[in-house]
Amino acid sequence: MSDRPVRTRIAPSPTGMMHIGTARTALFNWLFARHTGGTFLVRVEDTDRERSTEAAVQVIFGGLNWLGMTPDEPPVFQYARADRHREVVAELVARGQAYRDYMTAEELEIERERARSEGRVVRSAWREADPSTWPDRPYAVRLKSPLEGDTVVADAIKGDVRFQNSTLDDLILLRSDGNPTYNLAVVVDDHDMAITHVIRGDDHLNNAARQTVIYQAMDWEIPIWAHLPMIHGPDGAKLSKRHGSQAVGEFDEMGYLPETLRNYLAKLGWGHGDDEIFSDAQAIAWFDIKDVVSAPARLDWAKLNHINNHYIREADPARLAGLVIEILKRRGEVVRQGDETLITRTIPFVRDGAKTTLELADTVAFVLKSRPLALPEKALSQLTDETRARLGRLRGALTQVADWNVPSLELAIRAFAESDGVGIGKFGAPLRSVLSGGAPAPDLAGALTALGRDESLGRIDDALSLRA
Ligand code: GLU
């Protein structure tokens, strides 16, 4: 095995979205590079000129950026390297490892038919032609693949995968329009980028056989292959639209944090025992390609939510407040100066049950309401004369609280209940409605602390001055 310094890459084709599978491939390449002290690279496979718009390319960089996995070197763009690809094709021809194929479209069609009926792959008569007889007309260039024996893809996850050479036709390297083909470009780029480990989805396993033959024809060192099992939906079928979201951007919009995705995606096909939650540092320390399982991984929303809740509880409130503000703006709500500070202060009281930042946005909403709050019917009916009188006395007690924080307020509320001779249940529900306008809210002391002294007393005053 080679002792070259580890260099990994992802090679996404810009399609306008970044698939969750691409994110997982990026993660495994990134973890492996970090684990080995290697380099993580990105190559944009932009040879499909119609799909590879500037916007589609930006979706990939945006996704990687959001996930916190930016490449260690500037990205490589495949299309810009077409001359280099053609140069290698010329070299393969010069080495006698490739040949010009002058079959016309009609001739190819006839050969295809014949190959089909004879149960073999397409073969061109030009394979054995002497280069001195090559005519001056359009041609494609094909690889002179071995006809006998096997090509073995020594895969770090799947083990040795054997392909009978008799089943591989001579791969076209250069089309008659002069454009290099996909498998050729991938090999040249991976070689030139000194990629040591090709870690990608196992939908590319057949390509690995094709690519191995090209490496051999060029006498280039073959990278270590590691083909990852696909991600399936919760029902075990290949992940598709009907399983819900598949694009990285959608997970962002649904209120998942990037560290959640990193932690969760690491568990899809790899894991560290039964560990549910682990940090980037732990994943980097533990990750190894040989521990990736070869069975397909299943997306599990309940686990994803559980992990997201964990990171929401851990995250810096100011950062979460920024995310909540974005959500509110997306919802078309008016965001005022000072709201972000208010939200930051409120988050510690409301985040425990939040599975997503969207839920967090719902649970902080009460603090953003403007006075006087519109009270729902139910809250109004709870405001009997007796309750009003009690809330009035409670207000008085609250004004005596010196430090407006959870422990002091809890103490004050308990002391008031005692002195008023009732359980907290007697006024807790109406007070919460008065403070929140019926929106979800934390417990009393939390709600009061989040609102602050003046706003809390003001909301109580508003309710007391309502006509019964
Ligand atoms: N461009 C390919 C894709 O998006 C990846 C090719 C590779 O990783 O070798 O599926």
Side-chain angles (χ1 to χ4, degrees):
M1 204 192 285
S2 146
D3 53 5
R4 294 187 290 170
V6 168
R7 287 168 69 85
T8 67
R9 62 21 170 217
I10 55 155
S13 314
T15 59
M17 69 108 121
M18 184 169 181
H19 194 272
I20 196 75
T22 307
R24 202 242 339 220
T25 302
L27 177 69
F28 284 18
N29 277 283
W30 180 79
L31 285 175
F32 188 65
R34 290 288 169 276
H35 175 76
T36 54
T39 307
F40 168 66
L41 304 171
V42 174
R43 178 172 71 242
V44 181
E45 306 218 307
D46 57 349
T47 50
D48 180 340
R49 300 312 290 161
E50 261 169 43
R51 298 184 90 180
S52 302
T53 57
E54 177 63 25
V57 171
Q58 282 315 318
V59 167
I60 292 169
F61 293 146
L64 284 173
N65 205 21
W66 182 74
L67 285 162
M69 296 186 285
T70 46
D72 297 322
E73 291 175 11
V76 170
F77 291 86
Q78 188 160 63
Y79 181 70
R81 294 175 39 81
D83 283 345
R84 168 67 180 147
H85 302 146
R86 280 187 278 270
E87 187 183 296
V88 172
V89 172
E91 191 177 337
L92 283 163
V93 172
R95 287 165 164 248
Q97 296 284 1
Y99 59 94
R100 292 186 185 177
D101 179 8
Y102 291 90
M103 261 198 290
T104 60
E106 296 76 43
E107 286 167 343
L108 180 58
E109 206 28 64
I110 293 167
E111 165 58 11
R112 263 206 198 109
E113 264 314 306
R114 201 175 293 152
R116 207 174 358 245
S117 67
E118 292 173 12
R120 58 170 177 82
V121 297
V122 166
R123 297 287 174 204
S124 167
W126 291 95
R127 179 179 162 114
E128 304 306 336
D130 189 324
S132 63
T133 67
W134 285 349
D136 184 19
R137 57 185 168 89
Y139 58 87
V141 175
R142 284 186 191 260
L143 187 68
K144 213 181 241 180
S145 304
L147 298 174
E148 281 155 19
D150 292 341
T151 292
V152 178
V153 174
D155 192 88
I157 297 168
K158 299 189 182 287
D160 284 356
V161 186
R162 253 162 222 288
F163 295 81
Q164 281 182 355
N165 288 332
S166 60
T167 64
L168 305 176
D169 63 357
D170 284 347
L171 185 70
I172 293 182
L173 303 173
L174 198 69
R175 294 198 190 84
S176 53
D177 62 6
N179 279 320
T181 56
Y182 169 73
N183 279 303
L184 183 269
V186 168
V187 169
V188 175
D189 293 347
D190 281 339
H191 170 78
D192 288 359
M193 291 164 77
I195 298 301
T196 54
H197 295 73
V198 170
I199 306 169
R200 63 187 174 195
D202 65 10
D203 48 337
H204 286 284
L205 192 59
N206 288 334
N207 285 331
R210 299 295 203 172
Q211 293 168 8
T212 296
V213 181
I214 302 175
Y215 278 102
Q216 287 164 340
M218 280 304 286
D219 270 328
W220 282 344
E221 184 168 349
I222 299 170
I224 291 170
W225 308 110
H227 287 92
L228 305 173
M230 295 281 105
I231 300 177
H232 286 191
D235 58 357
K238 201 171 166 213
L239 195 63
S240 70
K241 278 220 171 66
R242 97 194 134 76
H243 292 113
S245 303
Q246 304 178 74
V248 170
E250 288 174 296
F251 284 85
D252 180 12
E253 279 165 29
M254 286 186 296
Y256 293 95
L257 298 174
E259 57 266 45
T260 299
L261 262 277
R262 287 199 299 276
N263 189 147
Y264 180 69
L265 290 177
K267 290 178 57 62
L268 283 186
W270 175 78
H272 187 260
D274 289 333
D275 288 322
E276 193 79 23
I277 307 277
F278 40 79
S279 65
D280 290 335
Q282 287 171 314
I284 288 168
W286 296 334
F287 185 82
D288 201 340
I289 295 177
K290 68 174 172 33
D291 299 326
V292 175
V293 296
S294 55
R298 285 189 193 200
L299 195 72
D300 179 337
W301 290 96
K303 274 205 179 120
L304 184 65
N305 286 337
H306 171 73
I307 295 176
N308 206 41
N309 171 257
H310 169 84
Y311 287 109
I312 286 176
R313 283 187 282 120
E314 296 239 305
D316 173 19
R319 171 186 166 214
L320 292 174
L323 296 174
V324 166
I325 292 278
E326 275 173 36
I327 293 165
L328 296 178
K329 284 186 179 157
R330 262 199 330 254
R331 288 177 179 172
E333 288 175 32
V334 183
V335 176
R336 297 155 309 181
Q337 212 187 350
D339 279 359
E340 195 157 346
T341 315
L342 257 181
I343 295 172
T344 305
R345 195 167 74 194
T346 307
I347 278 173
F349 303 107
V350 298
R351 64 167 145 190
D352 278 3
K355 293 190 290 292
T356 64
T357 50
L358 299 188
E359 290 185 8
L360 201 56
D362 296 336
T363 54
V364 298
F366 81 96
V367 86
L368 302 175
K369 294 189 173 195
S370 313
R371 292 178 49 200
L373 274 55
L375 297 187
E377 211 38 61
K378 182 158 173 261
L380 289 173
S381 68
Q382 285 174 334
L383 286 179
T384 57
D385 287 347
E386 187 193 345
T387 304
R388 280 163 192 274
R390 182 164 291 120
L391 289 185
R393 293 192 294 279
L394 173 60
R395 185 197 187 284
L398 291 176
T399 56
Q400 304 302 312
V401 174
D403 297 317
W404 197 265
N405 56 32
V406 170
S408 312
L409 287 163
E410 266 174 1
L411 216 63
I413 291 167
R414 237 178 292 134
F416 169 76
E418 208 160 300
S419 71
D420 227 50
V422 290
I424 294 175
K426 263 290 191 225
F427 57 88
L431 176 58
R432 262 180 104 213
S433 304
V434 162
L435 294 174
S436 74
D443 61 15
L444 290 178
L448 289 165
T449 310
L451 287 167
R453 189 177 196 278
D454 292 350
E455 181 71 18
S456 297
L457 297 178
R459 288 188 184 191
I460 296 172
D461 289 342
D462 292 342
L464 294 181
S465 66
L466 283 176
R467 299 232 147 263

